[in-house]
Short mmCIF file of all heavy atoms in Angstrom, two decimals:
data_model
loop_
_atom_site.label_atom_id
_atom_site.label_comp_id
_atom_site.label_asym_id
_atom_site.label_seq_id
_atom_site.Cartn_x
_atom_site.Cartn_y
_atom_site.Cartn_z
N ALA A 10 80.60 7.47 10.93
CA ALA A 10 80.76 8.37 9.84
C ALA A 10 79.41 8.69 9.12
O ALA A 10 79.12 9.81 8.75
CB ALA A 10 81.70 7.78 8.74
N TYR A 11 78.55 7.64 9.01
CA TYR A 11 77.23 7.86 8.44
C TYR A 11 76.44 8.96 9.20
O TYR A 11 75.91 9.88 8.64
CB TYR A 11 76.44 6.57 8.40
CG TYR A 11 74.99 6.78 8.03
CD1 TYR A 11 74.58 6.94 6.75
CD2 TYR A 11 74.05 6.82 9.09
CE1 TYR A 11 73.21 7.18 6.46
CE2 TYR A 11 72.71 7.09 8.79
CZ TYR A 11 72.29 7.23 7.46
OH TYR A 11 70.97 7.45 7.17
N TYR A 12 76.42 8.78 10.54
CA TYR A 12 75.66 9.71 11.36
C TYR A 12 76.37 11.07 11.36
O TYR A 12 75.66 12.09 11.54
CB TYR A 12 75.47 9.17 12.77
CG TYR A 12 74.39 8.12 12.84
CD1 TYR A 12 74.71 6.75 13.05
CD2 TYR A 12 73.09 8.47 12.54
CE1 TYR A 12 73.72 5.81 13.06
CE2 TYR A 12 72.04 7.48 12.58
CZ TYR A 12 72.39 6.19 12.80
OH TYR A 12 71.40 5.20 12.81
N GLY A 13 77.69 11.09 11.23
CA GLY A 13 78.33 12.39 11.13
C GLY A 13 77.96 13.17 9.91
O GLY A 13 77.69 14.33 9.93
N LYS A 14 77.97 12.45 8.73
CA LYS A 14 77.55 13.09 7.50
C LYS A 14 76.09 13.55 7.51
O LYS A 14 75.74 14.60 7.05
CB LYS A 14 77.84 12.13 6.32
CG LYS A 14 79.25 11.86 6.05
CD LYS A 14 79.46 10.78 5.04
CE LYS A 14 80.92 10.36 4.83
NZ LYS A 14 81.11 9.26 3.90
N THR A 15 75.29 12.68 8.13
CA THR A 15 73.84 12.99 8.21
C THR A 15 73.63 14.22 9.12
O THR A 15 72.80 15.10 8.86
CB THR A 15 73.04 11.82 8.70
OG1 THR A 15 73.31 10.67 7.88
CG2 THR A 15 71.55 12.05 8.66
N PHE A 16 74.36 14.24 10.23
CA PHE A 16 74.29 15.39 11.14
C PHE A 16 74.60 16.70 10.41
O PHE A 16 73.93 17.69 10.52
CB PHE A 16 75.31 15.18 12.30
CG PHE A 16 75.60 16.38 13.14
CD1 PHE A 16 74.73 16.78 14.13
CD2 PHE A 16 76.73 17.12 12.92
CE1 PHE A 16 75.01 17.89 14.89
CE2 PHE A 16 76.99 18.26 13.66
CZ PHE A 16 76.15 18.66 14.70
N ILE A 17 75.66 16.68 9.61
CA ILE A 17 76.07 17.88 8.83
C ILE A 17 74.90 18.24 7.89
O ILE A 17 74.56 19.42 7.75
CB ILE A 17 77.37 17.66 8.09
CG1 ILE A 17 78.51 17.50 9.11
CG2 ILE A 17 77.64 18.76 7.13
CD1 ILE A 17 79.81 17.01 8.48
N GLY A 18 74.31 17.24 7.19
CA GLY A 18 73.20 17.52 6.33
C GLY A 18 72.04 18.14 7.01
O GLY A 18 71.42 19.01 6.44
N TYR A 19 71.77 17.74 8.24
CA TYR A 19 70.67 18.34 8.98
C TYR A 19 70.97 19.71 9.47
O TYR A 19 70.08 20.60 9.48
CB TYR A 19 70.32 17.40 10.16
CG TYR A 19 69.13 16.49 9.80
CD1 TYR A 19 69.32 15.43 8.97
CD2 TYR A 19 67.83 16.72 10.24
CE1 TYR A 19 68.34 14.56 8.59
CE2 TYR A 19 66.79 15.86 9.91
CZ TYR A 19 67.06 14.78 9.08
OH TYR A 19 66.03 13.98 8.71
N VAL A 20 72.15 19.98 9.86
CA VAL A 20 72.53 21.40 10.20
C VAL A 20 72.32 22.31 9.03
O VAL A 20 71.83 23.43 9.17
CB VAL A 20 73.98 21.42 10.70
CG1 VAL A 20 74.48 22.85 10.79
CG2 VAL A 20 74.11 20.72 12.04
N GLU A 21 72.78 21.82 7.87
CA GLU A 21 72.56 22.65 6.60
C GLU A 21 71.12 22.81 6.29
O GLU A 21 70.63 23.93 5.94
CB GLU A 21 73.27 22.04 5.44
CG GLU A 21 74.79 22.00 5.57
CD GLU A 21 75.52 21.16 4.53
OE1 GLU A 21 74.86 20.27 3.91
OE2 GLU A 21 76.72 21.45 4.30
N LEU A 22 70.26 21.78 6.47
CA LEU A 22 68.84 21.87 6.19
C LEU A 22 68.17 22.83 7.15
O LEU A 22 67.34 23.61 6.69
CB LEU A 22 68.27 20.45 6.38
CG LEU A 22 66.70 20.44 6.37
CD1 LEU A 22 66.18 20.77 4.95
CD2 LEU A 22 66.12 19.10 6.81
N ILE A 23 68.52 22.81 8.41
CA ILE A 23 67.89 23.73 9.41
C ILE A 23 68.19 25.18 9.00
O ILE A 23 67.30 26.03 9.08
CB ILE A 23 68.35 23.39 10.80
CG1 ILE A 23 67.87 22.01 11.23
CG2 ILE A 23 67.96 24.48 11.80
CD1 ILE A 23 68.57 21.45 12.46
N ALA A 24 69.41 25.41 8.59
CA ALA A 24 69.76 26.81 8.15
C ALA A 24 68.94 27.22 6.92
O ALA A 24 68.44 28.33 6.88
CB ALA A 24 71.29 26.87 7.85
N ASP A 25 68.77 26.29 5.98
CA ASP A 25 67.99 26.56 4.79
C ASP A 25 66.54 26.74 5.09
O ASP A 25 65.87 27.62 4.52
CB ASP A 25 68.17 25.44 3.75
CG ASP A 25 69.62 25.39 3.17
OD1 ASP A 25 70.28 26.45 3.20
OD2 ASP A 25 69.98 24.32 2.68
N LEU A 26 66.01 26.00 6.05
CA LEU A 26 64.57 26.14 6.48
C LEU A 26 64.38 27.50 7.12
O LEU A 26 63.36 28.17 6.89
CB LEU A 26 64.19 25.02 7.44
CG LEU A 26 64.01 23.66 6.89
CD1 LEU A 26 63.92 22.58 8.05
CD2 LEU A 26 62.73 23.57 6.03
N SER A 27 65.34 27.89 7.92
CA SER A 27 65.22 29.24 8.57
C SER A 27 65.15 30.37 7.55
O SER A 27 64.36 31.34 7.73
CB SER A 27 66.43 29.46 9.47
OG SER A 27 66.47 30.75 10.02
N LYS A 28 65.91 30.28 6.46
CA LYS A 28 65.86 31.33 5.43
C LYS A 28 64.60 31.15 4.60
O LYS A 28 64.01 32.22 4.23
CB LYS A 28 67.13 31.17 4.57
CG LYS A 28 67.24 32.21 3.50
CD LYS A 28 68.51 32.02 2.69
CE LYS A 28 68.58 33.06 1.57
NZ LYS A 28 69.87 32.85 0.74
N LYS A 29 64.22 29.98 4.23
CA LYS A 29 63.05 29.75 3.35
C LYS A 29 61.76 30.12 3.97
O LYS A 29 60.86 30.62 3.36
CB LYS A 29 63.04 28.30 2.91
CG LYS A 29 61.93 27.87 1.99
CD LYS A 29 62.16 28.40 0.55
CE LYS A 29 61.14 27.80 -0.37
NZ LYS A 29 61.36 28.33 -1.80
N TYR A 30 61.62 29.90 5.33
CA TYR A 30 60.40 30.12 6.01
C TYR A 30 60.63 31.07 7.20
O TYR A 30 60.54 30.68 8.37
CB TYR A 30 59.79 28.77 6.53
CG TYR A 30 59.56 27.84 5.42
CD1 TYR A 30 60.49 26.77 5.12
CD2 TYR A 30 58.42 27.94 4.55
CE1 TYR A 30 60.27 25.90 4.13
CE2 TYR A 30 58.26 27.04 3.47
CZ TYR A 30 59.13 26.04 3.29
OH TYR A 30 58.96 25.12 2.23
N PRO A 31 60.90 32.36 6.87
CA PRO A 31 61.23 33.34 7.95
C PRO A 31 60.05 33.57 8.90
O PRO A 31 60.27 34.04 10.05
CB PRO A 31 61.59 34.54 7.19
CG PRO A 31 60.88 34.46 5.86
CD PRO A 31 60.92 32.98 5.55
N ASN A 32 58.83 33.30 8.49
CA ASN A 32 57.65 33.56 9.33
C ASN A 32 57.24 32.36 10.17
O ASN A 32 56.27 32.42 10.92
CB ASN A 32 56.44 34.01 8.48
CG ASN A 32 56.74 35.34 7.76
OD1 ASN A 32 57.37 36.24 8.35
ND2 ASN A 32 56.29 35.46 6.52
N ASN A 33 57.97 31.25 10.00
CA ASN A 33 57.74 30.06 10.81
C ASN A 33 58.88 29.86 11.80
O ASN A 33 60.06 30.25 11.49
CB ASN A 33 57.62 28.80 9.97
CG ASN A 33 56.34 28.74 9.18
OD1 ASN A 33 56.34 28.50 7.98
ND2 ASN A 33 55.22 28.90 9.85
N THR A 34 58.61 29.31 12.93
CA THR A 34 59.68 28.96 13.88
C THR A 34 60.15 27.58 13.50
O THR A 34 59.34 26.64 13.23
CB THR A 34 59.15 28.96 15.33
OG1 THR A 34 58.64 30.26 15.66
CG2 THR A 34 60.32 28.67 16.29
N ILE A 35 61.42 27.34 13.56
CA ILE A 35 61.99 26.00 13.29
C ILE A 35 62.39 25.50 14.70
O ILE A 35 63.34 26.02 15.31
CB ILE A 35 63.23 26.08 12.34
CG1 ILE A 35 62.92 26.93 11.15
CG2 ILE A 35 63.68 24.62 12.03
CD1 ILE A 35 61.76 26.41 10.29
N ILE A 36 61.75 24.52 15.16
CA ILE A 36 62.06 23.95 16.51
C ILE A 36 62.99 22.77 16.28
O ILE A 36 62.63 21.79 15.54
CB ILE A 36 60.75 23.48 17.21
CG1 ILE A 36 59.82 24.64 17.43
CG2 ILE A 36 61.14 22.79 18.48
CD1 ILE A 36 60.31 25.63 18.47
N VAL A 37 64.11 22.75 16.91
CA VAL A 37 65.09 21.69 16.80
C VAL A 37 65.03 20.96 18.19
O VAL A 37 65.30 21.58 19.19
CB VAL A 37 66.52 22.13 16.55
CG1 VAL A 37 67.47 21.00 16.45
CG2 VAL A 37 66.52 23.04 15.22
N ARG A 38 64.73 19.70 18.14
CA ARG A 38 64.65 18.90 19.37
C ARG A 38 65.67 17.74 19.28
O ARG A 38 65.36 16.69 18.64
CB ARG A 38 63.24 18.37 19.66
CG ARG A 38 63.11 17.72 20.98
CD ARG A 38 61.66 17.15 21.23
NE ARG A 38 61.60 16.37 22.40
CZ ARG A 38 61.26 16.78 23.60
NH1 ARG A 38 60.86 18.04 23.77
NH2 ARG A 38 61.18 16.01 24.66
N PRO A 39 66.80 17.84 19.90
CA PRO A 39 67.81 16.80 19.87
C PRO A 39 67.44 15.62 20.75
O PRO A 39 66.71 15.76 21.74
CB PRO A 39 69.12 17.41 20.38
CG PRO A 39 68.82 18.93 20.43
CD PRO A 39 67.31 19.04 20.57
N HIS A 40 67.92 14.43 20.36
CA HIS A 40 67.80 13.22 21.22
C HIS A 40 68.54 13.49 22.52
O HIS A 40 69.54 14.21 22.55
CB HIS A 40 68.47 12.04 20.47
CG HIS A 40 68.17 10.76 21.16
ND1 HIS A 40 69.00 10.31 22.16
CD2 HIS A 40 67.24 9.74 20.95
CE1 HIS A 40 68.57 9.09 22.58
NE2 HIS A 40 67.52 8.75 21.89
N PRO A 41 68.05 12.93 23.66
CA PRO A 41 68.64 13.20 24.93
C PRO A 41 70.13 12.67 24.99
O PRO A 41 70.91 13.20 25.83
CB PRO A 41 67.76 12.42 25.95
CG PRO A 41 66.95 11.54 25.14
CD PRO A 41 66.75 12.21 23.84
N GLY A 42 70.47 11.74 24.11
CA GLY A 42 71.87 11.30 24.05
C GLY A 42 72.80 12.19 23.29
O GLY A 42 74.04 11.95 23.19
N GLU A 43 72.25 13.25 22.64
CA GLU A 43 73.05 14.20 21.95
C GLU A 43 73.45 15.45 22.76
O GLU A 43 72.74 15.76 23.70
CB GLU A 43 72.24 14.69 20.73
CG GLU A 43 72.18 13.79 19.54
CD GLU A 43 71.64 14.53 18.34
OE1 GLU A 43 72.45 15.25 17.68
OE2 GLU A 43 70.48 14.35 18.06
N SER A 44 74.55 16.05 22.30
CA SER A 44 74.92 17.35 22.83
C SER A 44 74.11 18.41 22.17
O SER A 44 74.16 18.58 20.94
CB SER A 44 76.39 17.59 22.66
OG SER A 44 76.76 18.93 22.98
#
């Protein structure tokens, strides 16, 4: 559950970063054990 809640928090953060910094690329690099 902890990692589930944190996962959701990071998805929200990435979306906010994309909007806040439109001139920067946001690179998301998942762990190989992730989908």
Side-chain angles (χ1 to χ4, degrees):
Y11 168 81
Y12 283 111
K14 294 173 184 176
T15 307
F16 166 81
I17 293 169
Y19 264 72
V20 169
E21 293 173 337
L22 171 67
I23 293 164
D25 291 338
L26 286 168
S27 173
K28 182 179 179 181
K29 181 75 173 180
Y30 302 101
N32 296 323
N33 288 128
T34 303
I35 313 301
I36 300 291
V37 181
R38 187 179 171 97
H40 187 276
E43 280 192 82
S44 171

